């Protein structure tokens, strides 16, 4: 009965220690009964080949032991839709994290320039996506097993869901847009705080004999305010993603952030130019042209940003007003 | 794309899953060990895979619906199962539920 012992030994190794002996004793009886039944049918003892077939029929040790487990699924049917939603968000984040650095590197001419974008996207996207999905799967499995409590997640209310308007609104931010904003601003805040390197920042810049970029002192002075503005924008985006019904609190946050944004834009405008270029590889005339282009670009960006902030103050201020009787303010 | 046979088989499995528990509980009004239980079920036309039967018996025992004890029979130790008093009450309610479902569905089919 060497085969039987080996088979049961393999199953025992996969069973919970406390129940292993009991389950294996029962399985031994079951298999012995089956062997005896088959021997009675054939009128002779089973040879090795016939025993192998009988055990294969009974099931692989992993499958047999697995049936005794309390948990049969890594992610159960109840949790699965939430898990899949999280995976889709993770894929969007991974795509975003893969595309932005690749485009920056393409524009700055690093890593093969524009031609290198597809390979950079794939190179960054795949490992990021796999890591994020792995983390989500581990968290999902822990939730499934009750190791992570979901608290009052099951106590959701319809009133927390976003308003549905039949009218098209040019100024309504969707939850997906807010999520995109959260991801982008998180990426920016991490870079601005020096936690992550901006891809390509070590590409054409900063090396000896190459183009050198010097930032204006105002950018150092405003480092913390800009970081706080980015964090505020992340919080505002998260409000819309997690609590879409909180229209007024988010409008108030947006107004505060927009006022701060206008102040920052004005401070930056006064301190132009924000960057200067030096380097041995080009003529003084080239630097003047480059500085003129970047200077003009920054001025345009600053004016546009200030205009957007001003527009936001008006729109969000309108949302703070008491709703009309027909509920048209909601949204 | 799954074939019609595959779809039927999947739906049949879903349909049978609950009824197997009912059949097992009903058969264990009389004390039996696993192998004899499977034979008893098979003799009345209820085929159940051993891989599913034994873990099911343990789950039902864990829920307090069955009681079990090890005894020697035919020179081998066997685990005998029997419906507990709690199991009898649950079986009665499940049987009533089954009849109700059957009465509801019968005119529709």
């Amino acid at each position: 009965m060497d085969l039987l012992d080996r088979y049961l030994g393999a199953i025992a190794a996969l069973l919970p220690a406390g129940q292993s002996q009991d389950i294996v004793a029962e399985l031994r009886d079951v298999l012995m009964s089956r062997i005896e039944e088959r021997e009675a049918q054939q009128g002779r003892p089973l040879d090795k080949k016939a025993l192998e077939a009988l055990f294969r029929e009974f099931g692989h040790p992993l499958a047999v032991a697995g049936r005794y487990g309390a948990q049969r699924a890594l992610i159960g049917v109840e949790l699965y839709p939430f898990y899949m939603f999280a995976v889709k968000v993770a894929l969007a984040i991974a795509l975003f994290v893969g595309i932005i650095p690749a485009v920056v590197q393409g524009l700055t001419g690093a890593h093969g320039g524009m031609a290198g974008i597809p390979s950079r996207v794939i190179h960054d996207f795949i490992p990021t996506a796999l890591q994020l999905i792995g983390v989500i799967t581990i968290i999902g499995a822990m939730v499934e097993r009750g190791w992570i409590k979901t608290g009052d997640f099951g106590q959701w209310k319809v009133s927390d869901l976003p308003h549905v308007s039949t009218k098209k609104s040019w100024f309504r931010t969707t939850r997906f847009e807010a999520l995109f904003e959260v991801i982008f601003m998180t990426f920016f805040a991490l870079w601005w705080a020096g936690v992550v390197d901006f891809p390509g920042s070590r590409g054409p810049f900063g090396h000896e004999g190459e183009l050198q970029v010097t930032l204006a002192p105002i950018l150092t002075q405003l480092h913390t305010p800009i970081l706080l503005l980015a964090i505020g924008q992340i919080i505002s985006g998260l409000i819309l993603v997690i609590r879409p019904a909180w229209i007024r609190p988010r409008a108030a946050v947006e107004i505060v952030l927009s006022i701060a944004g206008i102040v920052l834009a004005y401070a930056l405008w006064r301190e132009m130019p924000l960057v200067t270029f030096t380097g041995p590889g080009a003529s003084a005339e080239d630097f003047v042209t480059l500085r003129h282009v970047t200077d003009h670009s920054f001025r345009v960006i600053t004016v546009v940003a200030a205009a957007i902030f001003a527009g936001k103050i008006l729109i969000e201020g309108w949302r703070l007003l008491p709703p009309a009787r027909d509920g048209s303010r909601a949204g | 794309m799954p074939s019609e046979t595959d779809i039927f088989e999947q739906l049949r499995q879903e349909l049978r899953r609950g009824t197997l528990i009912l059949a097992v509980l009903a058969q264990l009004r009389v004390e039996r060990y696993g192998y004899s239980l499977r034979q008893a079920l098979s003799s009345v036309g209820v085929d159940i895979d051993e891989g599913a039967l034994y873990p099911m018996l343990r789950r039902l025992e864990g829920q307090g619906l069955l009681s079990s004890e090890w005894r020697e029979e035919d020179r081998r130790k066997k685990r005998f199962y029997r419906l507990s008093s709690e199991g009898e009450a649950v079986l009665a309610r499940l049987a009533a539920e089954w009849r109700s479902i059957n009465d509801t569905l019968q005119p529709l089919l």
Side-chain angles (χ1 to χ4, degrees), chain A residues 61-263:
Chain A
L62 270 169
V64 174
R67 291 186 192 116
Y68 286 91
Q71 202 79 31
R72 297 293 304 276
L74 189 67
I75 308 286
V77 288
E78 292 289 322
L79 191 64
Y80 187 73
F82 299 96
Y83 168 77
M84 280 311 295
F85 176 76
V87 166
K88 285 174 188 171
V89 170
L91 288 173
I93 292 169
L95 198 62
F96 179 82
V97 168
I99 286 172
I100 299 292
V103 170
V104 170
Q105 286 173 350
L107 292 172
T108 56
H111 296 282
M114 300 299 274
I117 288 178
S119 66
R120 294 293 310 160
V121 169
I122 293 165
H123 179 270
D124 290 341
F125 171 74
I126 292 173
T128 308
L130 290 176
Q131 282 173 23
L132 287 172
I133 291 168
V135 169
I136 288 164
T137 305
I138 290 166
I139 292 169
M142 290 169 91
V143 170
E144 184 67 39
R145 280 148 187 78
W147 301 343
I148 295 177
K149 302 293 176 201
T150 50
D152 63 349
F153 187 73
Q155 303 302 311
W156 63 276
K157 299 199 299 283
V158 176
S159 54
D160 286 338
L161 297 176
H163 292 274
V164 177
S165 174
T166 50
K167 291 179 288 186
K168 181 166 173 59
S169 171
W170 293 99
F171 306 114
R172 185 181 298 113
T173 310
T174 65
R175 288 173 92 181
F176 181 79
E177 287 163 355
L179 184 66
F180 185 83
E181 189 181 82
V182 167
I183 296 163
F184 180 83
M185 291 313 294
T186 303
F187 194 68
F188 170 81
L190 289 171
W191 167 69
W192 190 252
V195 178
V196 294
D197 279 335
F198 198 70
S201 60
R202 293 177 186 175
F205 307 129
H207 295 287
E208 201 177 328
E210 291 178 344
L211 187 65
Q212 302 282 323
V213 179
T214 309
L215 301 178
I218 188 71
L219 288 169
T220 310
Q221 292 160 15
L222 292 178
H223 185 272
T224 304
I226 290 171
L227 181 62
L228 289 173
L229 187 66
I231 292 168
Q233 211 61 61
I234 293 165
I235 292 166
S236 173
L238 283 173
I239 290 173
L240 183 52
V241 171
I242 298 165
R243 286 277 184 269
W246 290 7
I247 294 164
R248 288 185 179 177
R250 184 170 187 264
V253 170
E254 281 290 330
I255 287 170
V256 171
L257 292 173
S258 298
I259 292 167
I262 289 173
V263 172

Side-chain angles (χ1 to χ4, degrees), chain A residues 39-63:
Chain A
E39 283 177 342
Q41 283 171 358
Q42 295 184 5
R44 56 181 166 81
L46 297 186
D47 60 10
K48 188 184 172 187
K49 194 178 169 186
L51 279 172
E52 287 273 15
L54 187 141
F55 296 137
R56 197 166 41 247
E57 209 177 284
F58 197 80
H60 191 281
L62 270 169

Side-chain angles (χ1 to χ4, degrees), chain A residues 19 21-30 32-37 57-58 64 67-69 72, chain B residues 33-35 38-39 49-52 54-59 61 70 73-74 76-79 81:
Chain A
Q19 303 171 47
Q21 221 176 337
D22 201 49
I23 292 170
V24 165
E26 187 171 37
L27 289 176
R28 181 181 292 276
D29 172 50
V30 172
M32 288 297 293
S33 300
R34 206 185 249 216
I35 290 165
E36 285 166 8
E37 186 183 52
E57 209 177 284
F58 197 80
V64 174
R67 291 186 192 116
Y68 286 91
R72 297 293 304 276
Chain B
Y33 61 93
Y35 199 74
R38 189 164 171 264
Q39 286 177 316
D49 178 50
E50 281 166 324
Y54 292 95
M56 185 202 290
L57 290 172
R58 285 183 175 267
R59 272 199 301 277
E61 188 183 13
W70 284 97
E73 189 174 284
D74 298 334
R76 266 216 309 274
K77 280 183 75 181
K78 295 181 187 299
R79 187 173 195 149
Y81 293 90

